[in-house]
Amino acid sequence: MMDEIQFESWCRKNNISNKGRSIIEQIRLSEPARSVSSRNNNVSGRYPSRKMGVTIQFESSTVEFPAIYMMEHDNEVIEYYDQPNSMKINYLNQKQKNIGIIYTPDFFVIKDDTAFWEEWKSEEELIALSSKNPNRYYKDSKGNWRCPPAEEYASQFDLKFYVRSSKEINITLLRNLHFLEDYMLDTDATVSDEIIYEVNRKITEYSGISLFNLIKRGQKFKADDLYSLLIQDYIYIDIEKYNLANYQETPVFLNKEHAKTYQKASENSRNDSYGFESLDLKVGEKISWEGQKWAIANLGIENIALINEEKSLIELSKTVITDLFKSGKISGINLLKERSASQEVTKILLEASPEQLNIARERLEAIKYDLDRRNVDGNGVSQRTLAEWKRLYRYGEELYGNGYITLIPQIHKRGNRKNKLPIETLDLVKKFIEEEYENIKQKSRRVVYGSLLNKCELLGLVAPSYKTFCKYVKERPKEELVRKRKGQRVAYKHEAFYWALDQTTPRHGDRPFEICHIDHTELDIEVVFSSSEKKSSRPYITFLVDAYSRKILAHYLTFDSPSYRSIMMVLRECVRKHSRLPQTLIVDGGKEFQSTYFETLLATYECTKKLRPAIKPRYGSVIERLFGTANTTFIHNLQGHTKIMKNVRQVTKDVNPKRYAIWNLVDLNKEVHRWTSEVYHNLEHPALGETPNEAFQIGIALGGTRPYRLIRYDDVFKIMTLPTTGRGCAKVQIGMGVKINYIYYWSDIFKDSSVEETRVPVRFDPFDIGIAYVFVKGKWIQCISQYYTLFKGRTENELKIISAEIRKKHVTHSKTFNINAKLIASYINEMDNLEKLKTQRIKDGNLKESLKEVKPEKNLVKKNTIDESVKELVYSELDMFDLFEEC
């Protein structure tokens, strides 16, 4: 981003007017004008921009998110801002009435030589909007989309406004930028000369070698080295044409010239397969031979005669003509098999039923063996019919190059298939279906048909039959019909199943850690408290799942309802086990996923958050299926499971799961660890065709370990996963320290006069309110609460219960009543016998026991579980951890 001096220089360089400078300064200093959200099928989210130093909002992962990616990696873009200032635009609607609306563009972009607003929409949406009102959106003669009222607003500041379409997005390039982003950001990455030499030798030795084979043949280099060399221009891949994730189809070259040479040689090799009979030559056809114009004068048996404009005649053999065509010296000759004919053949074959294809086969057999009269008569086929079949066969060979195609019977196309009803009646039927049948009143078809008959009689129109009316109702889009009659939720099951979260990324990603899902569920089991086996409760589990391999990266088991604590702890567990966080996290609309703590953590470690649309469970099907698998294959086999509680009216005291609960949180957590590592990860997944462990290890080998993404599991990271306050900072008050959640915390560093009266970042431990952390002078400092001995070991949940009870006791003046640490301390002993406080202490005690660290799994692939040819690609996680420790 530019500082004030750089901005001043940019304005002078581009002759920005005072008005323009004022509005740009306002945009640069303001927060986004609105917050985005997920609606219908759009996936919104936040992208942590390194260029801007903040998270950038996007409302559509198929249009706006790709736009952000392109601006982030466009060297000409200096700054870009999401949801900039709102503007009032005016335009005439279709009734020529003046319309004024408050409108917020998607982005404001500052480039080296210009600045402008941008609105991004899908091509389909722009076409629909332009047909509805061309005065707001239209496509000009150059094929560019325009918005005149917004352009008029921008012109008063001597700035521009552009409408951008999804059609402009190169999906392949965008996916590759996403794939290579970690290596673009890793500016410290270096590759040794020895590795560069070996890579160049392999590419030279195997010209046009695929990325997969290059990785497989590498002895001293791995995938990470290749991607770093690609970013540093030591090797070349056409990232606008080839998708890097298709490892076996992506060729690798030394440079761009090497790629062009190989491509030209490949094209010549393909052309060698063409013979003379493949060329479409006709007498009188004009051709160009090395720049001179000739015409075909005669097609002989062995030679062809050519004549030029000076009436000079020359004969060339068919072999010479073919060679000249292959070398490109003759142009104007086409291949015989036209694409349209090929498409027609494909259409006929796709429309033919098995019975029609069988008839064509029988006809072909009759022609092939040329049956004698006795056999033909015996089969009931006359010589006249056989002659007709031969004629059709010859016609097919001449037209399509395949006589079998014209032997396929076309009986289904016979007859007059035009609609017998007048157009006025058809329009009336459509109107009644849309207005009378497809509405929330849910009228029956019979009632709507009766109204239609009355209307037809009144207008003197021919009325359709009830059967015809029902046919037109059935032809209506099912999802739209159900949505209008019964609402969005009922219509959801009729929606088309979208196999992609967005256009730019496959639904399950290109590699491990690219896309991960995080969510919670309540397990179907009663779990007893360790200190009291008479009481039990159903626990909640939070899963973090890798979408590419279906591997469970981490889980967190607790008695408490889902909250930001569950998310923080499962992400902490992920870093402890794998030394990294996901690149993109898919979450639902839960409040815990909108918390300041969660957003801050993701922004700090450059993770993109994508929000699933509400009431759209298919977008989270990866983790939703895991919940069902965990319950059916694991939990329902344990004593105390609550499967029977689905029919709660049939449950008696004798079979109540609470009577048979024997598992405590600590033991259950150990079993979950064992089930995931020994069972779930080693079972073949039906969608993958391999186990999650195999998919994960092979994905890491091909996609790279990505050292840039590695995170140290140290005290700094642990503190970053602790929650902060709503503002994130607190003021250091002289002699008191910082105040967090009613409580003052103190450290001797606060005695420093340069620290007093300053606002410092703060964090607190939700499992121990006796301590907190502040960021002072470049490091995190631990602080102690003023009643440390009393608060030590108390959790944030206990603090909430205590404060709620205090407010309840002082309900008469609760609006003006302030809770402080002294009041909390005085009530703690008094409230220790409070039942819900005791229950919370038991829950938290069980949770602390279950959180005792389990050693990270380092070698997850069992011997003989992966084919030997693939084993060469697999990097053991032990190597990755050793590399990380060396760094």
Side-chain angles (χ1 to χ4, degrees), residues 756-773:
E756 293 178 343
E757 299 291 330
T758 61
R759 300 191 69 84
V760 295
V762 296
R763 301 263 178 180
F764 65 91
D765 190 339
F767 297 102
D768 187 355
I769 62 174
I771 60 173
Y773 298 88

Side-chain angles (χ1 to χ4, degrees), residues 448-467:
V448 177
Y449 177 69
S451 301
L452 175 64
L453 289 180
N454 293 335
K455 190 68 173 179
C456 288
E457 184 178 350
L458 181 65
L459 298 176
L461 297 175
V462 177
S465 66
Y466 180 66
K467 182 179 180 180

Side-chain angles (χ1 to χ4, degrees), residues 547-695:
Y548 177 84
S549 64
R550 309 300 202 279
K551 180 172 181 175
I552 301 172
L553 299 176
H555 76 270
Y556 176 67
L557 197 64
T558 178
F559 280 121
D560 296 325
S561 299
S563 67
Y564 71 88
R565 286 179 294 275
S566 304
I567 305 170
M568 293 298 207
M569 294 306 295
V570 80
L571 293 179
R572 177 187 286 193
E573 180 70 3
C574 179
V575 171
R576 187 182 69 81
K577 293 176 68 176
H578 305 287
S579 297
R580 64 180 298 182
L581 288 173
Q583 189 170 354
T584 301
L585 265 178
I586 309 297
V587 301
D588 61 21
K591 290 184 178 179
E592 66 273 19
F593 295 115
Q594 317 301 323
S595 69
T596 304
Y597 323 125
F598 182 54
E599 297 277 5
T600 303
L601 181 69
L602 295 189
T604 302
Y605 292 101
E606 299 178 354
C607 300
T608 301
K609 184 186 81 170
K610 289 190 177 182
L611 184 62
R612 284 163 26 196
I615 327 171
K616 304 282 183 179
R618 287 176 187 162
Y619 281 80
S621 58
V622 170
I623 199 164
E624 297 292 344
R625 288 194 189 101
L626 175 60
F627 292 154
T629 302
N631 274 320
T632 55
T633 65
F634 173 52
I635 297 298
H636 290 172
N637 295 316
L638 301 178
Q639 185 170 325
H641 70 79
T642 59
K643 184 179 178 181
I644 194 174
M645 299 301 288
K646 290 181 179 179
N647 300 313
V648 67
R649 289 178 178 270
Q650 301 175 10
V651 178
T652 62
K653 184 177 179 180
D654 294 336
V655 295
N656 193 315
K658 284 184 175 292
R659 293 192 62 185
Y660 299 96
I662 59 171
W663 290 93
N664 58 46
L665 199 66
V666 178
D667 293 337
L668 181 61
N669 194 46
K670 290 178 181 177
E671 286 303 306
V672 173
H673 271 290
R674 195 166 69 86
W675 174 76
T676 56
S677 60
E678 297 180 12
V679 180
Y680 178 77
H681 286 164
N682 292 309
L683 287 176
E684 183 174 301
H685 196 288
L688 302 176
E690 56 190 348
T691 69
N693 266 343
E694 292 171 349

Side-chain angles (χ1 to χ4, degrees), residues 115-261:
F116 49 87
W117 285 273
E118 271 190 352
E119 176 69 18
W120 281 83
K121 292 187 180 297
S122 67
E123 183 76 9
E124 296 76 14
E125 187 179 2
L126 285 170
I127 292 172
L129 290 171
S130 63
S131 63
K132 190 178 297 184
N133 192 341
N135 292 326
R136 182 169 179 184
Y137 293 106
Y138 78 97
K139 183 179 281 190
D140 63 18
S141 57
K142 296 181 180 179
N144 299 319
W145 285 101
R146 306 281 297 274
C147 179
E151 291 175 6
E152 184 181 349
Y153 172 86
S155 65
Q156 64 181 311
F157 303 103
D158 297 324
L159 298 173
K160 300 291 185 181
F161 185 97
Y162 296 112
V163 179
R164 306 291 297 276
S165 164
S166 59
K167 199 174 180 180
E168 302 176 45
I169 300 171
N170 183 334
I171 301 303
T172 302
L173 175 62
L174 195 67
R175 282 183 62 182
N176 288 334
L177 288 176
H178 187 67
F179 188 97
L180 295 170
E181 184 180 32
D182 293 336
Y183 302 96
M184 294 177 183
L185 298 176
D186 192 2
T187 54
D188 298 328
T190 57
V191 182
S192 68
D193 293 338
E194 186 180 9
I195 288 178
I196 294 175
Y197 174 77
E198 185 187 357
V199 171
N200 288 341
R201 186 170 59 83
K202 293 291 184 184
I203 295 175
T204 306
E205 185 179 353
Y206 304 97
S207 188
I209 187 172
S210 69
L211 182 58
F212 178 86
N213 287 328
L214 184 59
I215 297 173
K216 184 177 179 180
R217 293 177 185 276
Q219 297 176 347
K220 297 178 181 178
F221 62 85
K222 295 182 180 180
D224 290 307
D225 299 316
L226 293 177
Y227 302 137
S228 295
L229 290 176
L230 177 60
I231 294 301
Q232 298 169 22
D233 291 330
Y234 283 101
I235 61 176
Y236 175 78
I237 296 175
D238 189 350
I239 61 174
E240 293 188 10
K241 181 179 179 180
Y242 297 101
N243 177 16
L244 292 173
N246 293 335
Y247 307 102
Q248 294 183 332
E249 299 176 7
T250 302
V252 186
F253 303 97
L254 294 175
N255 48 50
K256 196 170 185 177
E257 289 69 28
H258 181 205
K260 287 181 178 178
T261 304

Side-chain angles (χ1 to χ4, degrees), residues 45-58 65 68-69 71-73 80 82 177-178 181 185 583-584 599 602-603 606-610 709:
R46 294 175 180 270
Y47 172 74
S49 168
R50 172 167 281 214
K51 179 178 283 189
M52 296 301 297
V54 295
T55 56
I56 304 296
Q57 301 179 101
F58 57 88
F65 184 52
I68 290 172
Y69 243 93
M71 290 185 286
E72 182 74 16
H73 298 288
Y80 63 98
D82 63 292
L177 288 176
H178 187 67
E181 184 180 32
L185 298 176
Q583 189 170 354
T584 301
E599 297 277 5
L602 295 189
E606 299 178 354
C607 300
T608 301
K609 184 186 81 170
K610 289 190 177 182
R709 287 280 172 182

Side-chain angles (χ1 to χ4, degrees), residues 516-558:
C516 295
H517 294 252
I518 187 170
D519 207 351
H520 332 268
T521 191
E522 190 176 24
L523 290 178
D524 293 346
I525 190 171
E526 288 287 340
V527 175
V528 298
F529 300 152
S530 299
S531 58
S532 174
E533 295 188 359
K534 293 182 179 180
K535 289 189 176 182
S536 65
S537 178
R538 287 178 63 183
Y540 289 87
I541 194 166
T542 302
F543 280 126
L544 177 64
V545 183
D546 176 52
Y548 177 84
S549 64
R550 309 300 202 279
K551 180 172 181 175
I552 301 172
L553 299 176
H555 76 270
Y556 176 67
L557 197 64
T558 178

